Every structure is written in structure tokens, then in C-alpha cells.
Amino acid sequence: METQTAQDHTEFSNPNLEKMFDAEEISTRVKELGKQITEDYKGKDLVLVGVLKGSAVFMTDLMREIDLPMEIDFMAVASYKDGTVSTGDVEIIKDLMKPIRGKDVIIAEDIIDTGLTLTHLVDLLETRGPNSIKIATLLDKPEPRINKELKVDYRGFTIPNRFVVGYGLDVGGRFRNLPFIGVVKDPSLL
Ligand code: IMP
Ligand code: MG
């Protein structure tokens, strides 16, 4: 009989991960969101803006469920924390490549936690004269929300206040490639 070793699993079958949503559940929900956006944005000038890097997986799946003429663009931001508490200061690391004046913008996010990153992003993009700005997030973690006013227009799943990885979400850069979303059971084993 073979002995069990620490290497006896792959990244995707890592026993330190507890599955929250599998690939099929995510796909079903993303299809529903895409269908809703397709209905809501008929005749509009849609630009889907992905917030790198976390939203890349969600955004590229979502865009293939939007059956409309549309464009995509990307931003990268760094949110600064004072210890573990978000300060709300957001630095633009990478800006959009094209103006959004007159456009109907949907910002695609992986997860909304305190909401401060998106609050700043929406405020910034508002100054550029878009026709509208809405928010699509795969995951919504409402418990730690600081900006309670932030309106989430399209939401994949509402989740409890736990740190999740996979499907674009990372811990220290790892696990973005997981096809499912899960919770790291014991962070000290990473
Ligand atoms: P907020 O400004 O607190 O809403 O920050 C949202 C950002 O924090 C997300 O775009 C993620 O990059 C990161 N984040 C928040 N919660 C999680 C989590 O559970 N897993 C991975 N990243 C997270
Ligand atoms: Mg992010």
C-alpha cells in the first residue's frame, strides 16, 4: 500500500481548501448575470471594465455571456491598508486605455469587501463623463462593508465574512487559477 505524503494531491485537490462554489455553480450564475446584462444594455454603448487582477476570470467568462456589441478595458488599483484596516486610499496602477465619455460602464469586480476600492473607482470614473456606471461583482461580502451606500447592481453570490480564493481570487498571488471558489482552512499551512 502506498503511504500518504504531503505531495499526494494537486493544487486543485489541495485538502487545505474547503469548496464554497464549484465550477458548474459559478458558470450557471455567470450565465444568468450575462443574460440580465444583455437585456438591460440593449441599444447602449457598453464598456466592461475589469479591475485587475482578481476580476480577470469572472470578467472574461461574463463577457462571453453578453450577447451585445461591447468593448472591454482594464484598470489596476492598489488599496492601502493601515494594518488590516482599509484606509480607503486607492492608487491607480494602470488606467483605462480609452476615454469613457458617453459610455455605459459596468465595472466587473471579483469581490466587494469594505467597498472602499469601488467607491473610489466609481468616484474617479464619474469625473470622466460616462453616461452611466454600474457594478457587477461575482461575490459580495456585505458584513465588512464600510460604505453602506455602495449600490451593487449585479451580484453573483452573497457570502459570509470569510477569506475566499480561486476563480481569480488569491492569497499572496496564489490560487487565482482554481476553477472553483474555496476557503483556505488553515492559512498557516500555505
Ligand atoms: P474592498 O475595498 O475592501 O471592497 O476590497 C476589495 C478587494 O479586496 C477585492 O477586489 C479583493 O482583491 C480583495 N479581497 C477582499 N476580500 C477577499 C477575499 O475573501 N479573498 C481574496 N481577496 C479579497
Ligand atoms: Mg481585487
Side-chain angles (χ1 to χ4, degrees):
M1 220 167 113
E2 284 180 45
T3 46
Q4 197 91 2
T5 70
Q7 314 304 322
D8 231 10
H9 58 78
T10 68
E11 185 76 336
F12 294 176
S13 68
N14 191 328
N16 195 24
L17 296 172
E18 178 192 325
K19 214 166 270 185
M20 189 179 273
F21 301 108
D22 66 25
E24 204 183 317
E25 289 172 286
I26 298 169
S27 166
T28 300
R29 190 67 191 115
V30 171
K31 280 190 170 72
E32 288 168 358
L33 292 177
K35 198 162 174 245
Q36 187 64 53
I37 291 171
T38 302
E39 282 168 21
D40 295 349
Y41 281 76
K42 282 203 175 80
K44 302 213 178 203
D45 198 354
L46 174 61
V47 183
L48 192 60
V49 170
V51 186
L52 293 171
K53 302 171 189 168
S55 73
V57 180
F58 171 52
M59 180 189 177
T60 51
D61 278 351
L62 180 65
M63 65 190 272
R64 283 174 288 175
E65 303 297 339
I66 301 174
D67 188 2
L68 293 172
M70 58 164 286
E71 290 188 36
I72 61 166
D73 209 334
F74 293 98
M75 289 189 86
V77 298
S79 315
Y80 290 98
K81 292 195 195 287
D82 189 4
T84 56
V85 183
S86 184
T87 59
D89 293 332
V90 172
E91 189 194 342
I92 305 299
I93 306 295
K94 185 219 168 294
D95 207 337
L96 297 174
M97 295 181 77
K98 283 176 77 176
I100 51 168
R101 181 162 302 282
K103 305 274 186 186
D104 294 291
V105 175
I106 298 179
I107 302 174
E109 252 292 29
D110 48 357
I111 186 164
I112 308 178
D113 187 31
T114 62
L116 294 176
T117 306
L118 269 182
T119 301
H120 278 252
L121 213 50
V122 169
D123 286 351
L124 172 72
L125 296 186
E126 287 284 10
T127 66
R128 300 181 183 179
N131 186 52
S132 65
I133 300 183
K134 289 199 175 184
I135 292 171
T137 188
L138 180 68
L139 303 175
D140 184 6
K141 212 163 30 169
E143 208 181 297
R145 189 70 33 83
I146 291 173
N147 179 8
K148 309 270 186 204
E149 311 291 299
L150 187 72
K151 187 166 176 282
V152 181
D153 304 283
Y154 303 97
R155 170 192 294 106
F157 303 98
T158 300
I159 63 164
N161 193 10
R162 300 188 72 187
F163 196 84
V164 289
V165 296
Y167 197 75
L169 293 142
D170 72 306
V171 56
R174 188 173 169 189
F175 294 131
R176 294 193 196 276
N177 56 323
L178 302 180
F180 58 89
I181 291 167
V183 176
V184 177
K185 290 188 213 166
D186 183 353
S188 74
L189 294 178
L190 290 177

